[in-house]
Amino acid sequence: MTQPKLLAFAGSTRKGSLNEAMLRVAVAGAQAEGADVTHVTLADYPMPLFNQDLEAEQGEPDGAARLKTLFAAADGLLIACPEYNGSITPLLKNTLDWVSRKDAGGPGGRYYKGKTAGLISASAGRLGGMRGLVHVRQILTNLGAVVIPEQLAVFGADKLFGDDGVPEDEARAEQLRDVGGALARTTAKLIG
Ligand SMILES: Cc1cc2nc3c(=O)[nH]c(=O)nc-3n(C[C@H](O)[C@H](O)[C@H](O)COP(=O)(O)O)c2cc1C
């Protein structure tokens, strides 16, 4: 079976991001199931707020072009999705929008079609960002990705890690690893 290639990133670049911390655990789960994971931070792929005039005048930003290269190389996406006001964060939506554009502009989608996606979210709140996951799932599905049913919204996420960054709640950590593992296995099956 071919080794699945996954691209992992979080929709937050905040210092001490809970989603970034959760993503590291899910990435470990994907790697344990044999995936080759490229884990990046969106801080390294800056993009202005999408505007079609800007795109027409200046083309795509370097950050979008470089991230598209990583999307193109990946068989699947592992995304940690913070929830703002019950939905996707502006950073994640802006990133998905830029990547959705064809290289020469215009509606795209080829960077998503046929790829798998696995979603997690984390919040200090009681729902763990679950409402936002519904929206991210819908957006990625519209773009042609196959979003796996396994997902996890981690509530009380501010209490999950000790000061050393190691998860203190092993049961939750295992659930996170399971999402990464499920994505690795499903992707491997789909690419054959
Ligand atoms: C504008 C804004 C809206 C938010 N709305 C929600 C929300 O609807 N549900 C929730 O659980 N947390 C909400 N939060 C709290 C975030 O989930 C929390 O800051 C979380 O730690 C962000 O993810 P990060 O730690 O990965 O940066 C909101 C935060 C901001 C700044």
Side-chain angles (χ1 to χ4, degrees):
M1 206 177 266
T2 317
Q3 184 183 32
K5 291 198 184 77
L6 303 179
L7 175 62
F9 56 90
S12 168
T13 54
R14 191 175 70 80
K15 253 186 292 162
S17 162
L18 298 172
N19 284 275
E20 184 58 47
M22 302 299 146
L23 183 61
R24 282 196 288 273
V25 182
V27 163
Q31 288 168 330
E33 287 290 328
D36 172 6
V37 186
T38 302
H39 181 172
V40 299
T41 169
L42 294 181
D44 291 335
Y45 301 87
M47 301 170 206
L49 188 57
F50 186 87
N51 174 309
Q52 259 187 286
D53 290 339
L54 182 88
E55 181 192 45
E57 287 157 19
Q58 300 178 18
E60 65 184 0
D62 175 63
R66 287 187 293 110
L67 192 61
K68 277 178 167 184
T69 305
L70 298 185
F71 266 69
D75 303 307
L77 309 169
L78 180 55
I79 309 178
C81 314
E83 178 180 278
Y84 281 4
N85 297 318
S87 191
I88 187 171
T89 57
L91 171 67
L92 183 54
K93 183 63 164 63
N94 194 50
T95 300
L96 296 178
D97 284 347
W98 273 112
V99 172
S100 76
R101 304 297 280 174
K102 283 190 182 142
D103 296 341
R110 70 189 175 90
Y111 288 97
Y112 300 92
K113 241 187 176 76
K115 289 189 202 311
T116 55
L119 306 180
I120 59 170
S121 66
S123 161
R126 280 188 301 164
L127 296 180
M130 187 186 292
R131 294 170 304 171
L133 287 185
V134 175
H135 297 171
V136 180
R137 174 175 291 276
Q138 184 173 14
I139 292 165
L140 288 169
T141 302
N142 289 339
L143 286 163
V146 178
V147 188
I148 63 167
E150 294 86 350
Q151 67 177 27
L152 189 68
V154 181
F155 59 88
D158 54 329
K159 306 281 189 304
L160 189 63
F161 287 89
D163 292 338
D164 52 2
V166 176
E168 288 181 338
D169 182 338
E170 180 50 32
R172 294 249 100 187
E174 194 172 336
Q175 288 175 324
L176 279 165
R177 286 194 293 270
D178 284 349
V179 176
L183 181 65
R185 284 192 303 277
T186 303
T187 309
K189 279 184 201 153
L190 286 180
I191 62 178

